[in-house]
Amino acid sequence: MKIDAIYLRELHIPLVQPFETSFGVTTDRRVLLVELKSEGLTAWGECVAGEHPYFSEETIDTAWLVMTQELAPVLAAAEPEHAGKIPGLFKQVRGHRMAKAALENAVWDLEAQVRGVSLSALLGGSRETIPCGVSIGIQPTLERQLAEIEKELAAGYQRIKLKCKPGWDTKVFEAVRNRWPQILLSCDANSAYRLKDADLIREWDAFNLLMIEQPLWSDDFYFHSLLQKQLTTSICLDESIRNRRDALAAIEMESCRIINIKNGRVGGFSEAIAVHNAAQERGIPVWCGGMLESGIGRAHNIALSSLPNFSLPGDVSASKRYWKEDIIEPEVTVSSEGEIVVPTEVGRGFAVREDLVERLTVRKEEVRALALV
């Protein structure tokens, strides 16, 4: 596959409503897109790095820098025979997984178009529909929290995930369970607790949670292993799992019983598939996490979620939950049964609204291959 041109774009898109986690509040997104041109075809990728280095060390600005100076020039000079070869091209650059994922995933999109197959089929997906959960941010009041849950249950979502932090946890779970005893419920701490909080966290066993996501340090396996041994509820690791090796270590140490796979967090489709396979071989279910993606990243998450071991409802929810107007068409929709249909059209299955992308673009740069000296 010959890469004719690579463009980076930064878009500014306001969220429909603020989204609060233990990190803070997000009201709008700076979205970094990759646009690949190849022999008349256009492919897209999205970098999920945030505005601040809170979820991970990466930000949209570090990603822009490393992509323009290191990664994209290497890709521009290559003619990869398969998207799975991209990690090898980038191996000299340590870390920067979200930046790498944006470029690699665009190549997967391109390859699907070249081969005339859907992106999900190219990845090895087998699901025709994917089950959907929803992640609900911390609300100003408990009454507002319950109202948001009621709204999303009415929309059909199969699993409710509540963001939590010290001071916004046990009483919230108790109120939710008293009102909805049977719903599939989980929580996500985004590393807000420490092992000294084990007595508090053990109380959550009473609420029949599907999982407690990343309660302790973002880079930890050991203390999560100690905590998991004290709990009936399954721990799910998110930030700690950067690659297949991390997944194997966490499983071996019994640090978790569930794994969240985020495409950007692990460095792209190639590593996401490797984590999926490692977990599947060891009987550990996985699900796809969200990072407030635009429709391009959301389309990639749908394709990834079609792999067979994505057996738990993920965070791939409808476009309208986040954006007044998404940059793809059709927008992502969720059925009344809480499912998304996996596209079978060639490529990602969603057309990019290039006119809207152009209007929202605040920064654009073409990256060329490095000149030989």
Side-chain angles (χ1 to χ4, degrees):
M1 294 177 288
K2 184 178 184 297
I3 308 297
D4 296 325
I6 300 175
Y7 298 97
L8 301 188
R9 293 175 177 268
E10 180 183 340
L11 285 59
H12 287 186
I13 314 179
L15 290 167
V16 170
Q17 63 182 15
F19 188 78
E20 183 175 350
T21 72
S22 60
F23 300 134
V25 182
T26 301
T27 57
D28 59 83
R29 285 285 277 143
R30 297 170 62 196
V31 175
L32 173 51
L33 299 180
V34 172
E35 180 183 5
L36 292 187
K37 299 287 188 179
S38 173
E39 300 180 325
L41 299 174
T42 302
W44 295 85
E46 179 171 347
C47 179
V48 298
E51 292 76 15
H52 304 283
Y54 300 161
F55 176 83
S56 79
E57 298 88 344
E58 289 185 81
T59 69
I60 184 174
D61 294 309
T62 65
W64 188 284
L65 180 68
V66 78
M67 288 164 76
T68 55
Q69 295 191 3
E70 299 286 348
L71 302 174
V74 172
L75 178 59
E79 294 189 17
E81 61 186 44
H82 174 44
K85 300 290 186 182
I86 302 303
L89 292 178
F90 295 160
K91 66 181 180 180
Q92 188 171 355
V93 175
R94 296 188 181 185
H96 299 283
R97 294 179 298 279
M98 293 177 179
K100 291 176 178 178
L103 290 163
E104 182 195 325
N105 293 352
V107 179
W108 280 94
D109 181 8
L110 175 61
E111 182 175 347
Q113 295 180 52
V114 170
R115 293 179 181 270
V117 299
S118 69
L119 179 56
S120 62
L122 183 62
L123 296 175
S126 58
R127 295 180 180 273
E128 296 181 355
T129 61
I130 61 171
C132 299
V134 67
S135 179
I136 300 179
I138 295 169
Q139 301 298 313
T141 66
L142 180 57
E143 291 72 21
R144 178 72 176 274
Q145 186 85 69
L146 297 177
E148 288 296 311
I149 295 170
E150 187 169 36
K151 180 179 71 175
E152 303 303 353
L153 288 173
Y157 287 101
Q158 296 184 20
R159 185 264 292 143
I160 298 293
K161 183 175 83 173
L162 302 178
K163 295 289 186 176
C164 64
K165 63 181 180 179
W168 188 265
D169 44 42
T170 306
K171 289 184 178 180
V172 177
F173 306 152
E174 184 176 26
V176 174
R177 269 295 176 234
N178 285 341
R179 185 159 176 180
W180 295 286
Q182 301 302 322
I183 64 170
L184 200 58
L185 181 67
S186 68
C187 68
D188 183 4
N190 290 116
S191 308
Y193 298 85
R194 297 294 177 258
L195 197 60
K196 64 181 176 62
D197 301 311
D199 289 345
L200 169 68
I201 297 172
R202 277 198 300 272
E203 295 178 6
W204 303 350
D205 279 339
F207 304 120
N208 190 29
L209 301 176
L210 171 65
M211 59 189 164
I212 300 169
E213 189 177 350
Q214 199 73 39
L216 307 180
W217 293 267
S218 63
D219 58 354
D220 172 72
F221 301 136
Y222 175 68
F223 290 104
H224 279 102
S225 176
L226 297 181
L227 180 61
Q228 180 65 93
K229 291 177 174 61
Q230 301 180 49
L231 299 174
T232 301
T233 308
S234 296
I235 288 176
C236 169
L237 288 184
D238 176 357
E239 291 96 318
S240 295
I241 307 298
R242 302 162 301 173
N243 48 47
R244 179 179 182 273
R245 290 180 290 106
D246 285 344
L248 292 174
I251 294 169
E252 179 68 24
M253 295 176 67
E254 299 182 353
S255 304
C256 63
R257 300 178 191 144
I258 300 172
I259 290 176
N260 169 345
I261 299 180
K262 286 179 177 165
N263 210 327
R265 192 194 70 232
V266 301
F269 281 130
S270 297
E271 197 65 33
I273 293 169
V275 174
H276 166 276
N277 293 349
Q280 183 178 35
E281 291 162 4
R282 290 156 182 82
I284 300 295
V286 304
W287 57 280
C288 185
M291 293 286 287
L292 301 179
E293 294 93 344
S294 77
I296 291 172
R298 205 166 295 272
H300 289 171
N301 286 347
I302 292 169
L304 180 64
S305 299
S306 70
L307 271 65
N309 196 36
F310 282 89
S311 55
L312 299 176
D315 286 342
V316 191
S317 47
S319 296
K320 67 180 182 180
R321 289 200 68 245
Y322 300 101
W323 317 113
K324 290 181 180 178
E325 193 174 18
D326 207 343
I327 60 174
I328 58 168
E329 56 183 5
E331 293 191 349
V332 176
T333 58
V334 175
S335 73
S336 58
E337 291 76 34
E339 296 179 332
I340 293 174
V341 175
V342 178
T344 56
E345 296 87 352
V346 170
R348 80 193 80 84
F350 297 85
V352 175
R353 298 179 57 188
E354 297 190 26
D355 57 337
L356 180 57
V357 168
E358 193 65 45
R359 292 203 306 271
L360 294 172
T361 296
V362 298
R363 178 168 52 153
K364 180 179 178 180
E365 184 172 344
E366 181 177 2
V367 182
R368 299 181 181 274
L370 294 173
L372 296 177
V373 179

